[in-house]
Amino acid sequence: MSSSNPQVHAFDLVIFGGTGDLAARKLLPAMFHRFLDGQLPDSSRIIGIARESTDDEGYRAQMRKALSEGHAPDPQQLEAFLQLVHYRPLDARKDAGWDDFAAMVGERPDNVRVFYLSTSPDLFIDICTRLGHYGLNRGEARVVLEKPIGRDLESANQINDAVGQVFSESQTYRIDHYLGKETVQNLLALRFGNALFEPLWNAAHIDHVQITVAETLGVGNRAAYYSRAGALRDMVQNHMLQLVCMVAMEPPSSLSPDAVRDEKLKVLRSLKPIDESNAAQLTVRGQYRAGAADGQSVPGYLDELEGGKSHTETFVALKTEIANWRWAGVPFYLRTGKRLPERVSEIVVAFKAVPHSIFDPSAGALAHNRLVLRLQPDEGVKLWLTIKHPGPGGLRLRHVPLDMSFAEAFGVSQPDAYERLLLDVVRGNPTLFMRRDEVEAAWRWADPILEAWSASGEAPKPYTAGTWGPSASVALIERDGRTWNEDGE
Ligand code: BG6
């Protein structure tokens, strides 16, 4: 098969949590797409691991179904791909089967070994300890840790310490799939490949930044995980803070992994603390009630829970600041939630108004320039400018976007973030993965917020499924005389 992308070194991708949602929805499809593109050498293997007692054929049948969801792939190609897929039943806490598994991995000593831990973080330590016991951490071996790593700084440290006993930091890939999204990477190109933005990229010219990650989906069958996590741990501590870092970091001296991660770390360490003294002013928590999503009525979060009582937040809005020279006084507004009216993720950089208007008020209001980076759907960039309304009738001002949809501009659909990130692990490139100190800094900022919420004893504010969260989220930004970006503006 020919590909515009070079093949990677042959590998074994071992997925712990192989029968889980992420494997079926993201990891296997990502590998299948790279296979179709000719990037996977024939001697590579994908080995699903879980407790379920099935075999290669049983697992292939599950994955065949998952890979055919929503569209019918070419049957021959699908079957050829499935020949790379294997399964071993294992329990991270029991000995049975581990000898056999270690022998299987040992059959291909030259393959890069990637152990992907897509399980609850409670199992990370057991799995790594066993991998070490069987010597599977030696040579070209890497471990991938899915987020969230722990549920606070203390538990993250325990996990990182225990994993660190078996895998060195350079073998450890803490994945945040937002960093693999095309638009997020484009931020690097946009900021550091154009002379245009950098002189304006600071508190003198930027009024505020807002980041929205809205989902229409509810918690669904992930309630067991989600009820212990909530939106702050699930989305803000990782994905959204990583987006903040990409917007706010200083130019790294190169794209080398540590140059980039050093700069991101400085941003995380400069975030202004939110704690009991100010959490009520700077944060809003919400929980969805029954309502409508995608035109259908849907139950509320509590209805989906077995126990029916919970203070878990399914929505967060907050205002933070970065205490350094570049960003002093520039608010960063973040909001994310489940069961919102549309699926949209975007970063909005709102510039300051011109210092003085030369236009007659009858020309219309002067709007601020905004740079909108759309992560999904329809990845692209819009730069909102003020121009003259064409034609006669006097000088009337209009606010229009320079609009670039990547799909339209390049005629290609964007690869899923996992496609790039999984192959980066095989290649041994950790630039787009989180270093231990980044995870720690992110928890150091998030922990006091969680503590403040828990100390307040207050329940999250209810919002109807299919709306933009509690009205307090609107008030949070409007108090400052600003508004959330809406309707694709
Ligand atoms: C995951 C969260 O990390 O990201 C999920 O655990 C969330 O709750 C998902 O739905 C969102 O990812 P994406 O790529 O669909 O925006």
Side-chain angles (χ1 to χ4, degrees):
M1 236 174 285
S2 71
S3 164
S4 48
N5 299 308
Q7 282 202 335
V8 292
H9 193 285
F11 62 88
D12 281 344
L13 169 64
V14 180
I15 305 173
F16 288 88
T19 52
D21 187 59
L22 188 77
R25 271 194 322 108
K26 292 288 184 184
L27 304 181
L28 270 289
M31 284 289 101
F32 185 39
H33 289 148
R34 292 300 90 220
F35 171 82
L36 293 176
D37 207 21
Q39 276 198 286
L40 309 193
D42 294 341
S43 51
S44 300
R45 295 180 295 186
I46 297 160
I47 307 170
I49 305 277
R51 282 184 303 181
E52 194 179 313
S53 65
T54 183
D55 56 12
D56 286 355
E57 280 313 318
Y59 189 59
R60 285 176 188 153
Q62 288 181 26
M63 293 306 127
R64 186 177 291 117
K65 188 160 169 260
L67 293 169
S68 309
E69 201 101 322
H71 72 292
D74 178 286
Q76 259 185 331
Q77 287 177 324
L78 178 60
E79 292 314 311
F81 171 71
L82 287 173
Q83 288 316 302
L84 306 183
V85 175
H86 303 264
Y87 181 81
R88 286 291 179 275
L90 281 185
D91 185 330
R93 295 188 167 137
K94 293 190 183 139
D95 291 331
W98 278 85
D99 279 325
D100 172 47
F101 166 64
M104 178 187 186
V105 175
E107 285 163 11
R108 308 242 169 123
D110 295 333
N111 277 12
V112 170
R113 292 192 296 279
V114 177
F115 299 104
Y116 197 114
L117 310 197
S118 163
T119 63
S120 149
D122 304 347
L123 291 173
F124 287 1
I125 298 179
D126 289 300
I127 295 172
C128 287
T129 309
R130 283 190 196 272
L131 291 172
H133 177 77
Y134 286 93
L136 297 174
N137 54 340
R138 294 199 205 109
E140 286 294 307
R142 341 211 194 280
V143 66
V144 184
L145 307 180
E146 250 303 331
K147 56 131 282 258
I149 300 187
R151 37 180 298 103
D152 52 21
L153 179 60
E154 194 187 337
S155 52
N157 277 340
Q158 280 165 3
I159 291 171
N160 282 324
D161 286 345
V163 173
Q165 301 279 317
V166 180
F167 292 96
S168 65
E169 182 63 26
S170 66
Q171 290 178 296
T172 306
Y173 289 70
R174 296 178 191 81
I175 197 163
D176 185 313
H177 77 278
Y178 267 58
L179 290 179
K181 289 187 188 273
E182 197 71 16
T183 314
V184 178
Q185 301 196 19
N186 227 321
L187 246 171
L188 290 174
L190 213 75
R191 280 193 63 193
F192 306 125
N194 295 290
L196 198 62
F197 295 111
E198 183 51 25
L200 303 179
W201 210 257
N202 54 49
H205 301 284
I206 292 180
D207 176 71
H208 74 280
V209 174
Q210 43 178 280
I211 302 180
T212 296
V213 177
E215 299 183 90
T216 52
L217 289 178
V219 169
N221 58 11
R222 293 172 75 228
Y225 151 74
Y226 199 87
S227 61
R228 280 175 44 77
L232 194 89
R233 289 189 180 94
D234 186 50
M235 297 296 291
V236 180
Q237 186 268 350
N238 32 75
H239 301 326
M240 298 194 80
L241 286 190
Q242 287 293 322
L243 298 182
V244 169
C245 288
M246 298 297 269
V247 173
M249 71 181 180
E250 293 300 313
S253 57
S254 72
L255 275 188
S256 76
D258 281 334
V260 173
R261 298 189 297 180
D262 286 347
E263 294 308 335
K264 288 198 293 161
L265 179 64
K266 287 185 206 159
V267 174
L268 293 169
R269 288 187 174 158
S270 308
L271 288 170
K272 271 201 184 170
I274 302 178
D275 54 26
E276 265 188 72
S277 68
N278 54 8
Q281 291 80 51
L282 300 179
T283 69
V284 174
R285 283 190 301 159
Q287 193 183 68
Y288 62 83
R289 297 285 180 263
D294 296 325
Q296 299 197 326
S297 29
V298 292
Y301 176 70
L302 295 181
D303 311 322
E304 289 173 330
L305 278 189
E306 306 264 300
K309 236 184 149 195
S310 162
H311 279 190
T312 300
E313 77 285 356
T314 60
F315 176 95
V316 180
L318 60 85
K319 173 181 167 184
T320 183
E321 277 182 41
I322 298 167
N324 65 17
W325 273 43
R326 184 186 287 267
W327 294 112
V330 179
F332 280 64
Y333 300 95
L334 315 183
R335 68 175 167 168
T336 183
K338 306 265 182 209
R339 289 284 187 230
L340 300 187
E342 52 183 301
R343 178 171 186 256
V344 56
S345 299
E346 65 180 19
I347 300 170
V348 179
V349 179
F351 291 88
K352 290 196 166 158
V354 294
H356 163 71
S357 174
I358 61 168
F359 303 102
D360 190 86
S362 63
L366 264 174
H368 295 211
N369 296 119
R370 286 181 173 214
L371 179 68
V372 181
L373 299 139
R374 234 173 316 132
L375 274 59
Q376 57 199 25
D378 313 325
E379 293 96 334
V381 179
K382 274 188 196 176
L383 179 61
W384 286 83
L385 301 171
T386 298
I387 58 149
K388 174 192 170 294
H389 187 84
L395 207 162
R396 283 169 295 138
L397 301 174
R398 274 190 57 195
H399 200 46
V400 291
L402 276 181
D403 189 355
M404 191 176 81
S405 148
F406 295 160
E408 277 173 29
F410 299 106
V412 289
S413 62
Q414 304 301 331
D416 187 78
Y418 281 97
E419 296 181 36
R420 170 191 306 272
L421 295 176
L422 284 170
L423 292 200
D424 274 357
V425 181
V426 176
R427 291 185 198 103
N429 179 359
T431 307
L432 298 175
F433 294 80
M434 290 181 292
R435 217 166 47 188
R436 175 175 178 161
D437 46 11
E438 285 180 77
V439 175
E440 287 173 8
W443 278 125
R444 219 167 256 126
W445 177 81
D447 275 359
I449 303 177
L450 293 163
E451 282 156 21
W453 287 347
S454 136
S456 81
E458 277 174 32
K461 296 189 167 49
Y463 63 98
T464 304
T467 65
W468 281 106
S471 55
S473 151
V474 175
L476 175 83
I477 192 165
E478 290 194 349
R479 269 203 300 274
D480 296 344
R482 304 180 174 106
T483 53
W484 293 109
N485 197 51
E486 274 181 14
D487 297 321
E489 285 196 359

